[in-house]
Amino acid sequence: MLISLLEALIVIGPLLGSIAYVTIAERKVMGSMQRRIGPNKVGYYGLLQAFADALKLLVKELVLPSNTDKILFVLAPMISLVCGLLVWTLIPYGKGLVIADFSLGIVTILAISSVAAYGIILAGWASNNKYSFIGSLRATAQLISYEVVFGLIILLVIFFVGSFNLIKIIEAQKAVWYIVPLFPIALMFLIAILAESNRAPFDLPESESELTAGFMTEYSAFPFVFFFLAEYGAIVFLSTLSSILFLGGYLIPGVESNGLMTGLSLGFKTSILLFILIWIRASFPRLRYDQLMAAIWCNMLPVVIAFSILIPCIIKAFEIY
């Protein structure tokens, strides 16, 4: 029990720190792209700004609107945060360096991420604010829509490996990373994780110009912090999952590495993907909701279904197994 608790703390501690510094990196990178300075007052080069923001939010008064379902109102951000942290127990940081090495690791991740959507749904349902309710409806439709493509793309990778285990998926990429034969699929997966994590240009559930803050409109203090951590934690997690599926995870090309080097390799690949996500946010305007739905149901889904038929046929034709 004590060992399991220590393992969880070893993972969660650096994770929360990385989430804090992703927010600083995002503001710095976007500031540079938009010819602004970004945060530079708190700490050296603004490196303590995230902790100042966290302290500000935690000392704010917790306000529970009188016309809400208070149990669901408080429970919703907890569901989002717990699910957002739970998936990290399945991530391998090296060969054998994983808290929970399940044979059905990918399936477990999909199951937990599906439950996380209930946090957003309940946040809008518990509130009597129209912006919160509209934001949760948008989030529900968006997550369900892109979860289809998200799952099918993961299934295509599983066709190559023949296993749902994350370590086996990584070890199968020793010869070639899957981004090489599956480059169009990797690009669509990048679009899918943008929609899954409510990132621009797919940030319609919390679009400030229309819905104030969407499903988070009536939240303050620590419940807002929970949603904030869950959202940025999802961004980091999905970038890590992308590096595992398409960039070889902790593998270093041509080098038999273990220990610290495997963790640094996974972190470097994840950081590159995080930079790309920030770059996209700074570059593209928000889509209309009909454009968002047309992109998935009319464009991406038919292509992914076609690949779902083509790739197993190619594998069988060449007898890869």
Side-chain angles (χ1 to χ4, degrees):
M1 181 69 179
L2 183 60
I3 293 175
S4 299
L5 183 61
L6 287 173
E7 287 177 342
L9 290 175
I10 289 171
V11 172
I12 291 173
L15 171 63
L16 295 177
S18 68
I19 292 171
Y21 280 100
V22 164
T23 62
I24 298 176
E26 181 176 48
R27 294 165 71 178
K28 283 287 189 182
V29 171
M30 290 183 66
S32 176
M33 290 178 177
Q34 297 165 356
R35 298 204 172 188
R36 296 184 288 105
I37 298 174
N40 66 338
K41 297 294 184 184
V42 184
Y44 176 73
Y45 202 60
L47 293 179
L48 299 180
Q49 182 65 50
F51 299 100
D53 293 340
L55 180 63
K56 177 190 72 176
L57 289 168
L58 290 174
V59 298
K60 279 182 176 290
E61 180 184 1
L62 174 59
V63 179
L64 295 177
S66 58
N67 57 351
T68 60
D69 185 329
K70 292 180 175 54
I71 295 176
L72 294 180
F73 190 81
V74 175
L75 186 63
M78 292 182 181
I79 292 173
S80 293
L81 181 61
V82 169
C83 291
L85 296 178
L86 196 58
V87 289
W88 285 96
T89 60
L90 301 162
I91 294 295
Y93 304 95
K95 193 169 184 178
L97 295 175
V98 57
I99 295 177
D101 186 16
F102 294 162
S103 59
L104 297 176
I106 283 288
V107 178
T108 309
I109 287 172
L110 289 174
I112 295 172
S113 63
S114 299
V115 173
Y118 283 100
I120 297 174
I121 297 168
L122 291 176
W125 179 261
S127 173
N128 202 28
N129 182 285
K130 67 176 182 179
Y131 298 127
S132 299
F133 189 65
I134 293 171
S136 69
L137 288 178
R138 284 184 172 186
T140 306
Q142 181 172 318
L143 290 173
I144 291 173
S145 299
Y146 280 86
E147 195 82 28
V148 176
V149 169
F150 188 77
L152 283 174
I153 291 174
I154 290 176
L155 189 62
L156 291 176
V157 175
I158 291 168
F159 283 149
F160 272 80
V161 183
S163 173
F164 292 94
N165 183 269
L166 289 172
I167 291 180
K168 289 183 179 178
I169 290 173
I170 293 172
E171 293 295 324
Q173 298 180 65
K174 282 185 175 179
V176 60
W177 292 351
Y178 287 154
I179 193 172
V180 177
L182 297 176
F183 184 71
I185 298 296
L187 289 180
M188 284 189 283
F189 191 75
L190 181 65
I191 296 171
I193 67 174
L194 284 170
E196 283 284 311
S197 55
N198 298 330
R199 294 286 293 173
F202 303 125
D203 57 340
L204 290 159
E206 51 193 69
S207 49
E208 70 281 351
S209 59
E210 307 163 37
L211 305 178
T212 309
F215 60 89
M216 294 189 287
T217 299
E218 291 191 314
Y219 282 92
S220 63
F222 74 87
F224 179 82
V225 174
F226 284 0
F227 270 129
F228 191 81
L229 290 174
E231 181 175 332
Y232 275 85
I235 296 165
V236 179
F237 172 74
L238 290 171
S239 298
T240 306
L241 183 62
S242 301
S243 66
I244 287 173
L245 294 176
F246 296 103
L247 298 176
Y250 54 76
L251 295 177
I252 302 174
V255 178
E256 195 66 39
S257 58
N258 51 40
L260 180 62
M261 290 301 295
T262 59
L264 290 175
S265 173
L266 182 62
F268 178 72
K269 295 170 185 175
T270 302
S271 299
I272 292 174
L273 290 171
L274 285 169
F275 175 77
I276 292 172
L277 295 184
I278 296 170
W279 190 2
I280 291 172
R281 179 179 178 179
S283 303
F284 293 98
R286 182 181 297 125
L287 295 178
R288 294 197 317 268
Y289 200 73
D290 61 310
Q291 293 174 326
L292 176 72
M293 287 298 144
I296 173 64
W297 294 111
C298 300
N299 300 321
M300 289 178 62
L301 187 59
V303 174
V304 173
I305 291 175
F307 273 106
S308 300
I309 298 171
L310 175 64
I311 288 176
C313 292
I314 293 174
I315 292 172
K316 182 62 179 176
F318 288 95
E319 292 293 341
I320 291 178
Y321 295 129

